Amino acid sequence: MTALLDDALDAAALLRAGALVAFPTETVYGLGADARNGAAVAAIFEAKGRPHFNPLICHFPDAEAAFAEVRADDRARALAAAFWPGPLTLVLPRRADCRVDLLAGAGLDTLAVRVPDHALALAVLRAAGTPVAAPSANRSGRVSPTTPAHVMEELEGRIAAILDGGECAVGVESTVLDLSGGKAVLLRPGGVPVEAIEAIIGPVGRPIPPGAGPAPTLRSPGLLLSHYAPTLPLRLDATEVAADEALLAFGPPLPGAALVAQLSEARDATEAARNLFGALRRLDAEGQRLGLRGIAAMPVPGEGLAPAIRDRLARAAAPRG
Ligand code: TXA
Ligand code: MG
């Protein structure tokens, strides 16, 4: 049903034929389709159960290929030079002759583009010779996959193949930056810290933290409050833990939990990002097996990748809609 591939050329051939193929990136596994092919793009939404108003990121082998489909300004070019290939997604105006199917961009006049920093992904993109639309390769609303086994758990039987690139190095999704208006706006904190972006283009507008105001549905339709959700309820900023809870630890674990997953003993946010989604999956599966009532997450303070981790945890803990 769903084949496990180890050759990027096989993955590219399937994409060109209109099939859905999950492939590794430095952040998380993506569920790829030929972005010019409306039927293939529609199949992504179908396989994920993703609402059609939530646009997809298009992936390219280099900035030149990306900027053939969208209009880059000086800020976009400077950021591409600094961070591509890498975990930064830029939202830019579509060019009039943009080849990407409108459904991939949810009908918006902007398109999100990125160049992933992963040898296999770049090989696929080069060989495919087409923009590749790819959301994270999970069912909509669930935890993003960072291994081929996670992708199988989510999408086995629904997609043609998975290209095996082992574990993802960064572990949280790309930073999404909207450059389509006058002021740059951070739509999703991610693999490139916002401080690093500001060092290049100056001040960036920050999002309203999840739950703290009206949902930012107009600017980024996909930033639904409840997202990245395990099945067990998640409790944030735990300072104690009960005997019938699982603990997501950051640093020395709180005592007394039935089950513990460590994000980073040394409280290193980069290491914690890499472990985040796998740890949530493990606690969720094991915790349900043990009949636990929920997952308690210790606070993850600081800068760097910590804001992306806090964002994902807040969404995982949000009331389910
Ligand atoms: O690291 C990543 O970005 C991964 C890998 C596979 O590249 N992809 C990923 O895709 O996380 P996805 O679909 O799970 O998240 C894409 C986010 C969503 O929040 C979506 O709403 C937003 O980007 N987005 C996409 N196109 C947009 C646009 N034109 N305007 C505003 N937001 C957009
Ligand atoms: Mg996603």
Side-chain angles (χ1 to χ4, degrees), residues 29 137-138 143-156 162 167 277-279 281-282:
Y29 274 72
N138 50 278
V143 178
S144 295
T146 53
T147 67
H150 295 164
V151 180
M152 281 290 185
E153 273 169 43
E154 295 285 321
L155 296 168
E156 182 164 20
I162 303 171
E167 208 169 320
F277 291 139
R281 268 177 201 275
R282 199 161 61 247

Side-chain angles (χ1 to χ4, degrees), residues 48 50 135-136 138 144 173 188 227-228:
K48 282 185 57 103
R50 181 172 176 117
S136 50
N138 50 278
S144 295
E173 299 85 346
R188 177 176 75 181
H227 215 107
Y228 310 99

Side-chain angles (χ1 to χ4, degrees), residues 27 30 50 54-55 57 59 110 112 114 135-136 173-174 188 220 222:
T27 57
R50 181 172 176 117
N54 190 359
I57 298 172
H59 297 67
T110 57
R114 98 172 185 97
S136 50
E173 299 85 346
S174 62
R188 177 176 75 181
S220 193

